[in-house]
Amino acid sequence: MHEFDLIRQIEPFAADHKDVKVGIGDDAAVTSSYAHKDVISCVDTICEGIHFKRSTLHLSDIGYKALAVNLSDIAAMGGMPRYYIVSLAMSPDWQEEEILEIYRGMNALAQHYGIILIGGDTVSSQNGLMVSVTVLGEIEKNRSLLRSSAREGDIVFVSGTLGDSRGGLELLLSRESAVPRTEQENALVGIHQRPEPQIALGQLLKESGCRIALNDISDGLSSETWELAEASNVCICLEEENIPVSEDATNLFGKQKGYEYALNGGEDFQLVGTVAKTHWPTIQSAAKEKGIRLSAIGSVEQEGSPQVLMQKNGERTVIKRAGYRHQ
Ligand code: ADP
Ligand code: MG
């Protein structure tokens, strides 16, 4: 496959927009910026054999997910994504049509959020495919929601249900794709393949104007809560029975495994955060009005040294920081 031919085929995915002064086709992209905004940027890379296999993701899901993981980071800052840049390293066994299908998956998600492809890079690799996506977003000046904002007395909350993606992966790895799946199984597989970044929730939390600490759950609740505790220098105590595990995951894997996936599974891309107790009811009902489930799962107990505890049947233990390790 010739690099220039591929880039020509990719170009139509880069929509025209007044804020994009130079898109694909020159040495670098040029976009407008606004004096009253901060720029939020992040990059995430997914590798064949590590983060996905051809048997766990459709081609379009690879693109969707490579972009979604970045949108999740933007959401966790309270920002709005605007532009994205894609770096590809691919081995000779990848065909042009397959790469374009990956772009179609990315494009579907990008269109949903009105995000524009403004450039990229294409190189060869000896083994497998690597897709690295950079997203540029924006937020009103000094309004980003940081991990370091948790304070004593805060409620710890989480969006949606946790562990579904890990459950979906388990189903994908344990069974031939030819075996038909039940509706419940398909729901979990769908969450693994096409996680929904929580942009709307990030916006709602930012708009509330409350002091909120926020992090997205890419590696499981335990390690993400540890990140909040460390950044804010606080002790957080979670209550196991309040952790939202879906009915689907509980039915398929049992209650205990469900908690295990929620704590240490990966790639839920929900948000975990903290907010003052007095503001919690307003935040929870504002989210509910938008159809977003928020659950209170614990509290910030004291400032001082970082710690994450789990309360279960009246007993407390320190949670190990055992985030999901990719294969
Ligand atoms: P340069 O050699 O100056 O770095 P390239 O020849 O690599 O430029 O790229 C030409 C144009 O095509 C640039 O605008 C670049 O952003 C874009 N581009 C290259 N590869 C990709 C890709 N995989 N996806 C999207 N745009 C790409
Ligand atoms: Mg150049």
Side-chain angles (χ1 to χ4, degrees):
M1 172 187 353
H2 197 284
E3 184 189 332
F4 295 117
D5 292 338
L6 177 66
I7 295 172
R8 207 167 307 127
Q9 303 274 350
I10 289 170
E11 225 164 321
F13 292 114
D16 268 345
H17 190 280
K18 66 175 176 24
D19 289 342
V20 181
K21 297 180 173 177
V22 180
I24 291 182
D26 214 309
D27 297 309
V30 182
T31 56
S32 302
S33 71
Y34 301 97
H36 57 288
K37 301 260 173 143
D38 281 338
V39 175
I40 300 180
S41 4
C42 56
V43 59
D44 244 305
T45 304
I46 61 174
C47 296
E48 185 178 2
I50 307 284
H51 302 91
F52 70 90
K53 297 191 170 91
R54 285 192 189 230
S55 62
T56 61
L57 293 186
H58 305 111
L59 291 167
S60 60
D61 297 335
I62 297 170
Y64 178 103
K65 209 161 167 176
L67 181 57
V69 300
N70 282 287
L71 298 192
S72 179
D73 282 323
I74 301 274
M77 303 300 287
M80 275 304 277
R82 293 296 308 275
Y83 309 113
Y84 69 111
I85 302 173
V86 181
S87 178
L88 294 176
M90 55 196 164
S91 51
D93 55 317
W94 282 86
Q95 305 299 312
E96 185 172 289
E97 182 43 42
E98 295 175 313
I99 299 296
L100 292 177
E101 185 61 14
I102 290 175
Y103 271 82
R104 283 184 205 111
M106 255 185 302
N107 192 47
L109 182 63
Q111 287 209 332
H112 183 77
Y113 288 103
I115 319 168
I116 308 161
L117 176 65
I118 55 169
D121 191 27
T122 311
V123 297
S124 312
S125 84
Q126 281 188 336
N127 251 308
L129 175 73
M130 189 207 79
V131 185
S132 182
V133 178
T134 300
V135 172
L136 304 175
E138 61 189 22
I139 191 167
E140 293 81 354
K141 273 201 186 299
N142 306 316
R143 295 284 300 277
S144 298
L145 303 177
L146 309 181
R147 294 176 182 175
S148 54
S149 301
R151 298 288 176 268
E152 188 173 330
D154 282 1
I155 291 283
V156 180
F157 64 85
V158 76
S159 64
T161 56
L162 303 181
D164 296 318
S165 173
R166 181 71 180 82
L169 177 62
E170 202 61 32
L171 295 170
L172 283 162
L173 293 175
S174 66
R175 220 181 295 167
E176 299 284 327
S177 60
V179 179
R181 292 197 190 92
T182 64
E183 207 172 297
Q184 258 184 348
E185 291 170 336
N186 271 330
L188 298 192
V189 165
I191 289 169
H192 178 77
Q193 293 178 328
R194 294 205 166 209
E196 195 188 333
Q198 298 298 307
I199 297 285
L201 176 57
Q203 287 297 296
L204 182 153
L205 296 173
K206 178 211 64 178
E207 295 291 335
S208 77
C210 298
R211 173 186 52 76
I212 286 172
L214 203 59
N215 196 4
D216 72 318
I217 306 183
S218 49
D219 293 327
L221 181 65
S222 69
S223 80
E224 309 299 348
T225 308
W226 264 103
E227 285 174 355
L228 285 172
E230 282 180 343
S232 299
N233 208 24
V234 293
C235 171
I236 291 177
C237 184
L238 304 179
E239 283 176 49
E240 186 178 274
E241 60 172 25
N242 292 335
I243 294 172
V245 177
S246 71
E247 233 179 270
D248 290 341
T250 307
N251 289 342
L252 287 165
F253 299 100
K255 214 166 173 179
Q256 211 41 52
K257 196 109 205 166
Y259 283 131
E260 170 61 27
Y261 286 170
L263 268 184
N264 301 322
E267 307 193 324
D268 284 311
F269 300 110
Q270 295 292 340
L271 297 177
V272 58
T274 84
V275 63
K277 214 171 250 163
T278 47
H279 293 141
W280 164 243
T282 323
I283 295 284
Q284 189 183 31
S285 55
K288 194 173 175 191
E289 249 169 55
K290 296 226 146 122
I292 303 167
R293 171 177 174 177
L294 287 187
S295 313
I297 58 167
S299 55
V300 179
E301 300 213 318
Q302 63 193 50
E303 296 171 20
S305 62
Q307 182 86 282
V308 181
L309 306 170
M310 177 68 79
Q311 181 157 321
K312 183 185 176 181
N313 305 328
E315 272 181 39
R316 292 175 154 210
T317 45
V318 175
I319 303 188
K320 276 196 290 251
R321 196 183 174 157
Y324 180 63
R325 300 259 176 274
H326 292 283
Q327 311 77 318

